[in-house]
Amino acid sequence: MIEITEEDFDADKIIQGLRKEGVGAIVTFIGTVRDFTEMGGDERTEPVEVKQLIYECYKDMALEKMTLIRDHALVNYDIRDMTIIHRTGALKPHEQIVMIAVGAAHRKDAFKACEYAIEELKKSVPIWKKEVTSEKDYWIGEEGDIRDLSPKNALEE
Amino acid sequence: MRNWLNCSKRRYILRSLTGGYNLKIKVKFFASYREILGKDEVEVDVGEDTDITGLLEVLKKVHPEIKALSETLIVSVNKEYATYDTILKNKDEVAILPPVSGG
């Protein structure tokens, strides 16, 4: 299943959906809203409180890219199924943001496919987040952000 | 009315002959770029054989605010990441994308 939604998702239900024929290992990754950030858009080292993260996406393209990630994982790893779900809108600390769930016969490929999917999602899926902190609001990836989000990375597929 | 039609027709023929601005391109902006430009979508007319580089030049003339965005913009054409030499077709949907930050 591939989904982008403003609603919260039921992680247990997604996991139950992967308990099926041929599956002996389920690996999940859930990204949640961290209540602090060390980014701040400058060279800050002291953590700042995060009030919320605001996510927006280019929905049609994001869904296509997420489908591509799932298709690629199904071809390149020995897995039975994969669900990728991502939320948009304003999310408060500790809320769920994203979930990757993989069902496979054995754990090894399930772990690998799960890691591949979340790393690739962060590189190529057109979703953006704005950090709203106790001090200021800024889009992650703007000038000053220390993470490497260069066009080169986003274009590599 | 006749004059208007004639004028419009003349302009159309002239543009056809000179490779005028007859492709309609929808351009979408997201996240920080949407906020900087104060709009999420514009439509621009470009000529035949215009590539992304050409489109950006036209965009900068019509919407000078675009100059404030990054030097190296990530673009997509019809929901696929595209290089600057991609030739545009009528009714293509182009998006100018800030560096992604999902997850």
Side-chain angles (χ1 to χ4, degrees), chain B residues 36-67:
Chain B
I36 292 167
L37 300 180
K39 58 193 105 186
D40 57 10
E41 196 177 299
V42 297
E43 197 175 80
V44 282
D45 294 349
V46 298
E48 297 280 352
D49 296 326
T50 299
D51 60 7
I52 294 291
T53 305
L55 172 74
L56 291 173
E57 277 166 21
V58 174
L59 268 175
K60 281 173 189 168
K61 274 182 206 152
V62 186
H63 303 280
E65 317 92 291
I66 285 168
K67 290 176 193 159

Side-chain angles (χ1 to χ4, degrees), chain A residues 90-109:
Chain A
L91 306 181
K92 297 247 181 297
H94 315 144
E95 280 200 72
Q96 303 186 113
I97 305 160
V98 58
M99 181 172 186
I100 313 279
V102 187
H106 306 285
R107 69 183 180 283
K108 214 169 173 181
D109 272 48

Side-chain angles (χ1 to χ4, degrees), chain B:
Chain B
M1 188 65 183
R2 177 180 279 182
N3 279 346
W4 181 84
L5 275 174
N6 285 344
C7 178
S8 162
K9 204 171 178 182
R10 239 191 348 258
R11 200 158 55 223
Y12 175 77
I13 291 165
L14 198 65
R15 277 178 178 172
S16 304
L17 289 171
T18 58
Y21 297 99
N22 44 12
L23 305 184
K24 291 211 174 296
I25 309 293
K26 190 199 277 183
V27 185
K28 295 167 85 79
F29 305 103
F30 292 94
S32 54
Y33 294 173
R34 175 177 51 73
E35 287 186 355
I36 292 167
L37 300 180
K39 58 193 105 186
D40 57 10
E41 196 177 299
V42 297
E43 197 175 80
V44 282
D45 294 349
V46 298
E48 297 280 352
D49 296 326
T50 299
D51 60 7
I52 294 291
T53 305
L55 172 74
L56 291 173
E57 277 166 21
V58 174
L59 268 175
K60 281 173 189 168
K61 274 182 206 152
V62 186
H63 303 280
E65 317 92 291
I66 285 168
K67 290 176 193 159
L69 308 183
S70 164
E71 283 286 304
T72 50
L73 296 165
I74 305 166
V75 291
S76 66
V77 177
N78 302 330
K79 304 167 193 87
E80 198 55 63
Y81 287 111
T83 51
Y84 278 30
D85 57 2
T86 304
I87 304 290
L88 296 165
K89 302 182 304 297
N90 193 29
K91 295 187 176 167
D92 272 349
E93 180 176 295
V94 174
I96 301 189
L97 311 169
V100 301
S101 56

